Amino acid sequence: MTTNDKYNLENFYTYINYATYLISGILIFLVYQVNKYMIKRRKREFATYILLGIEQRKVAVMFFIETLIMLLCSVVMGIFLGSLITQALTALILTTIDSNIVFGFRFYPDTILSTFIFFLTIIVFIGLFNMKHLSKIKLIDMFNDEKKTEIQFVRGKWFYVVIAMVSLACFVFAFFNLERYIEIQHLLTVDVSIKNQILLQTIVAGVLGTYALFYSFAYIMILIKDKLIRLKYKHTNLFLLGSVLSKMNTTSMMMATVTLTLLGSIICFVISPVLSEWAKGYLAYRSVFDVQINNVYNSISEKGDLPQIDYAEVYKYINDSEFNVKEYVSVEMYFLSEEDFYKRRKTNFPALAISLSDFNQLRKMAGYDPISIEEDEFAMQWDEKIPDRDIRKFIEDNPSIQTDIQSLQTNVNQYYTETLGETVFNDYSDYTIVLPDKACEKLLLANINFYANTTKELSYSFASTIDPFVESWFKEEYSTLYMKYQDDPEFKDFVSTRTKTEQMNDGNTSSLLIRVIGLYGGTILLIICLTLLALQQLSDSLEHRTRYDILQKLGVDRKAMNGLIFKQIGIYFSIPFITALFAFSIFLYQFSINKANEIKAYVGTKLFVFNILITLIMIVGIYLCYFASTIISFKRNLRTK
């Protein structure tokens, strides 16, 4: 369906296929949990069948067949509905790559077959596991299963108090470790492995703290309830606290898992559109020119080996094609001092200099006005993501520079941030110095880059041939240099080629991939946690219907009963949501502080905040829909005799 020759979606199809299987695999957990609670709910029913004379193995087979039929119907219906919804995804893809949108109902036999086989395998695997479980469980355990709890308070209160203190300690450790991570994130002197180790410690501490919190939560609430005598005996609070604490007691580990899953869902929903816009913004930052070829001196060990690269053959190759060269420039980059050639550490990589004429030609090709400087002045080209206040502070502290030839001056207004791409900067440097042409004549040449714009946009097929041509041409034209340094792994990247067409293809498909996978992942995780929460409450309405009947017989009216149900389900739904939202707030704080400059440059502060608000509103809306439907089903179960 692709009609635009500037795009190639093979990589997108590959990655989206892998992501679909990965995310669908997460559904194994959901199917398993639903089956687990269905078995728990019906164990007394199964036990009754066995008492009536049906073999236990046949009961297990009966449940397997019943589950298989139900889930197969779900898969068939899902495939049908998925084929309809696919049109929305197709429209999103075609809009991204500027192709014509053609609507129509289509079936994809290969995808349908692979989907059916995938879910059938999951269903059979879980069904066989359930059969084995039901075949071996004892009859007495089937009758008493609903009375079991995950946590039995037999260790003494101090054990659970200590667990609560461990949970608090984990959260405190995670918080201060997070602060430490934020402080060192931008320091080049700290090894990347150390930064990742600190981040991993923060995540592990947060997960352990969450499980420890919910493990001890029920007992801590019991201690608080025993202290608040008036509150627990007010109206129906005693019944409410008993129901909530009973559920917290029996499902503490599940509640912790739901909280972490909900946190993952919120992160997927919020971060994926932000990263998608980030990819688009970064794409605009990188792909300024139709063709750009740059080289780096990092792998050259001797100054005499620095090549004077002539891109005439590259110009001819592009110009002889149907696309032609509209304008081009070979940009020479210089060291301010010859001693800068030997500075190879991240912390002291030197900023390079560019002549005024080359700089103005670059600005003209990018659509900007030329600049002018005096013979004893210099200007600065800065990375757009660096804040103005930091730039001005740097210039105030460094109003002059010294080259091997002369000293030059500048002022706080002599800097520019218009996008000229990444290759205009040296590695680990955020600025480039613009010198008068005469001041560059006797400086040591660092590298020569090539930039070109064509008369019309390159097709993807032709753009993909430029890099192999440049690589082959360079090996042949500069064979002596290549033979000397070919064993150096870094020399393989000495010359690199980028085309706007390939960058647009990679950037747009990456943006689309992030958005689609984030939507898929967030949806699945949200469905899992909300379904588990709803199942828990609906199971309670069926298992403890007698308790609610007793309340009605004791004189509790319908309004009070509805209020009791609302409070119980509300508490049960709100605890993991509030906990996950609190954790997400800390994550968002870390992310926004750590990536503040990139967010401002590539996404925009307003769009960043807008995406977060819209996503949170959507999540809250879905959450409330599940909450309302659970209340309605809960009441209906209580009325069913």
Side-chain angles (χ1 to χ4, degrees):
M1 297 176 66
T2 303
T3 59
N4 194 326
D5 62 357
K6 296 183 298 181
Y7 290 91
N8 185 310
L9 299 181
E10 289 183 4
N11 289 335
F12 172 78
Y13 292 144
T14 300
Y15 289 119
I16 199 67
N17 205 31
Y18 291 151
T20 301
Y21 280 114
L22 176 62
I23 295 173
S24 298
I26 299 175
L27 287 173
I28 297 174
F29 176 76
L30 177 60
V31 176
Y32 170 73
Q33 289 294 333
V34 171
N35 275 267
K36 177 182 175 182
Y37 286 109
M38 287 295 292
I39 292 175
K40 181 180 178 66
R41 172 185 169 184
R42 300 180 61 187
K43 277 184 178 178
R44 292 181 65 88
E45 175 188 341
F46 296 150
T48 303
Y49 293 154
I50 296 171
L51 286 177
L52 292 175
I54 302 177
E55 293 182 17
Q56 189 165 342
R57 183 180 62 83
K58 290 184 177 180
V59 172
V61 172
M62 179 183 68
F63 180 73
F64 170 74
I65 295 174
E66 176 186 315
T67 305
L68 181 63
I69 293 174
M70 179 182 67
L71 293 182
L72 283 177
C73 291
S74 300
V75 171
V76 172
M77 187 178 296
I79 290 174
F80 177 77
L81 294 176
S83 298
L84 293 176
I85 299 175
T86 296
Q87 301 307 309
L89 178 60
T90 302
L92 178 62
I93 295 173
L94 295 178
T95 301
T96 302
I97 63 174
D98 302 323
S99 292
N100 296 326
I101 300 176
V102 180
F103 290 102
F105 186 77
R106 294 178 178 85
F107 277 105
Y108 306 97
D110 55 337
T111 306
I112 291 174
L113 180 62
S114 60
T115 303
F116 188 81
I117 293 175
F118 183 84
F119 282 101
L120 180 62
T121 303
I122 294 175
I123 294 168
V124 172
F125 177 79
I126 294 178
L128 292 176
F129 178 82
N130 290 336
M131 282 182 58
K132 182 178 179 181
H133 175 69
L134 286 175
S135 299
K136 293 185 176 182
I137 192 170
K138 295 180 180 179
L139 187 61
I140 187 65
D141 291 334
M142 289 187 181
F143 279 109
N144 295 327
D145 184 77
E146 66 185 41
K147 300 178 182 179
K148 294 180 180 179
T149 59
E150 293 180 10
I151 302 174
Q152 304 290 337
F153 295 139
V154 295
R155 300 178 185 271
K157 70 176 183 178
W158 288 111
F159 174 81
Y160 299 100
V161 172
V162 169
I163 294 296
M165 294 175 64
V166 169
S167 173
L168 180 62
C170 286
F171 288 134
V172 172
F173 174 81
F175 178 80
F176 285 105
N177 230 30
L178 186 63
E179 291 291 330
R180 182 187 174 196
Y181 178 78
I182 294 172
E183 291 176 358
I184 72 168
Q185 179 62 17
H186 295 292
L187 298 180
L188 296 174
T189 54
V190 180
D191 189 80
V192 175
S193 61
I194 297 178
K195 298 177 183 179
N196 293 338
Q197 191 177 43
I198 294 174
L199 181 60
L200 179 62
Q201 291 174 355
T202 303
I203 295 173
V204 171
V207 172
L208 291 178
T210 302
Y211 277 99
L213 172 66
F214 281 95
Y215 187 89
S216 58
F217 183 78
Y219 195 85
I220 299 300
M221 289 298 297
I222 289 176
L223 296 179
I224 296 175
K225 183 189 73 171
D226 291 340
K227 298 294 183 181
L228 302 176
I229 304 297
R230 292 185 179 180
L231 178 64
K232 74 176 182 179
Y233 287 115
K234 186 176 181 181
H235 302 301
T236 57
N237 286 351
L238 184 62
F239 182 87
L240 174 63
L241 290 172
S243 298
V244 172
L245 293 177
S246 173
K247 276 298 175 185
M248 287 295 178
N249 178 22
T250 57
T251 61
S252 57
M253 294 299 99
M254 192 275 290
M255 289 288 285
T257 303
V258 166
T259 300
L260 295 174
T261 304
L262 183 59
L263 174 61
S265 175
I266 295 175
I267 291 175
C268 284
F269 274 125
V270 172
I271 296 302
S272 61
V274 171
L275 293 182
S276 178
E277 294 298 328
W278 186 322
K280 288 184 178 179
Y282 184 54
L283 174 63
Y285 167 71
R286 295 181 64 194
S287 56
V288 182
F289 308 100
D290 291 336
V291 180
Q292 49 186 341
I293 305 171
N294 72 294
N295 60 92
V296 291
Y297 64 88
N298 305 0
S299 56
I300 304 297
S301 58
E302 299 179 19
K303 290 186 288 186
D305 291 334
L306 290 170
Q308 295 273 351
I309 301 179
D310 183 3
Y311 291 100
E313 288 295 322
V314 178
Y315 167 82
K316 184 177 183 302
Y317 177 78
I318 300 173
N319 196 52
D320 289 346
S321 70
E322 60 177 298
F323 304 98
N324 306 117
V325 175
K326 178 182 178 183
E327 51 189 353
Y328 78 100
V329 61
S330 291
V331 176
E332 298 180 345
M333 309 291 292
Y334 303 91
F335 294 107
L336 295 179
S337 170
E338 291 193 10
E339 293 302 315
D340 288 344
F341 173 79
Y342 301 103
K343 296 178 180 179
R344 304 292 174 90
R345 293 173 59 87
K346 291 182 179 181
T347 52
N348 69 344
F349 247 83
L352 299 180
I354 182 176
S355 67
L356 177 62
S357 58
D358 284 351
F359 184 68
N360 277 334
Q361 179 62 18
L362 271 182
R363 288 179 60 85
K364 176 186 174 184
M365 291 172 60
Y368 308 126
D369 295 330
I371 69 167
S372 61
I373 54 177
E374 301 297 331
E375 291 300 319
D376 61 344
E377 290 182 340
F378 72 93
M380 304 181 78
Q381 169 68 30
W382 280 84
D383 192 324
E384 66 173 351
K385 66 177 179 287
I386 306 301
D388 285 348
R389 62 178 183 277
D390 293 347
I391 297 176
R392 290 180 174 273
K393 179 67 168 56
F394 180 88
I395 296 176
E396 289 174 357
D397 295 339
N398 302 273
S400 64
I401 59 171
Q402 180 67 47
T403 71
D404 285 340
I405 308 301
Q406 66 183 109
S407 176
L408 300 101
Q409 305 293 323
T410 191
N411 60 66
V412 293
N413 296 316
Q414 205 73 358
Y415 72 91
Y416 304 89
T417 58
E418 293 92 343
T419 300
L420 294 176
E422 291 180 310
T423 56
V424 75
F425 305 108
N426 194 16
D427 290 346
Y428 312 110
S429 177
D430 296 323
Y431 65 92
T432 293
I433 299 170
V434 183
L435 299 178
D437 289 11
K438 188 175 181 179
C440 298
E441 291 178 354
K442 296 183 180 180
L443 296 180
L444 178 64
L445 185 67
N447 53 55
I448 302 177
N449 300 333
F450 176 82
Y451 303 88
N453 287 332
T454 55
T455 55
K456 63 178 183 178
E457 294 185 69
L458 300 176
S459 66
Y460 188 89
S461 58
F462 179 75
S464 60
T465 66
I466 297 178
D467 184 44
F469 172 81
V470 171
E471 184 178 354
S472 175
W473 159 78
F474 181 79
K475 288 180 181 179
E476 180 180 346
E477 190 73 16
Y478 301 92
S479 56
T480 303
L481 181 67
Y482 182 80
M483 293 296 294
K484 182 175 181 178
Y485 291 99
Q486 63 178 341
D487 294 332
D488 187 344
E490 292 187 1
F491 187 73
K492 295 179 181 179
D493 299 324
F494 180 75
V495 176
S496 59
T497 304
R498 298 176 180 177
T499 65
K500 187 174 185 178
T501 296
E502 290 178 300
Q503 291 182 102
M504 292 289 288
N505 179 83
D506 296 341
N508 284 330
T509 53
S510 297
S511 173
L512 180 62
L513 192 65
I514 292 171
R515 191 179 293 272
V516 171
I517 292 178
L519 180 62
Y520 275 169
T523 301
I524 295 300
L525 294 177
L526 187 62
I527 287 174
I528 287 175
C529 65
L530 292 178
T531 301
L532 293 180
L533 288 174
L535 281 175
Q536 281 290 335
Q537 287 302 298
L538 295 180
S539 296
D540 182 70
S541 67
L542 293 170
E543 294 172 2
H544 304 293
R545 185 186 302 152
T546 305
R547 298 168 61 186
Y548 293 94
D549 290 339
I550 294 174
L551 278 180
Q552 286 184 326
K553 293 176 181 178
L554 290 175
V556 178
D557 58 23
R558 182 176 296 275
K559 182 178 179 180
M561 186 72 72
N562 291 338
L564 177 63
I565 294 172
F566 180 86
K567 292 177 184 177
Q568 176 180 327
I569 300 178
I571 292 173
Y572 197 73
F573 267 71
S574 62
I575 288 176
F577 183 77
I578 293 174
T579 306
L581 200 60
F582 177 75
F584 173 74
S585 300
I586 298 176
F587 168 82
L588 185 62
Y589 166 79
Q590 184 272 330
F591 181 80
S592 58
I593 292 296
N594 187 26
K595 302 297 182 182
N597 293 336
E598 289 84 351
I599 291 172
K600 182 178 179 181
Y602 304 140
V603 181
T605 305
K606 292 183 178 179
L607 183 59
F608 177 70
V609 174
F610 178 78
N611 277 329
I612 292 174
L613 292 177
I614 290 297
T615 305
L616 290 179
I617 290 173
M618 181 190 70
I619 292 174
V620 170
I622 297 174
Y623 213 82
L624 291 176
C625 288
Y626 263 85
F627 174 67
S629 62
T630 303
I631 291 178
I632 294 172
S633 299
F634 194 101
K635 294 178 180 177
R636 184 169 58 245
N637 286 344
L638 291 183
R639 291 194 299 267
T640 303
K641 298 298 181 180

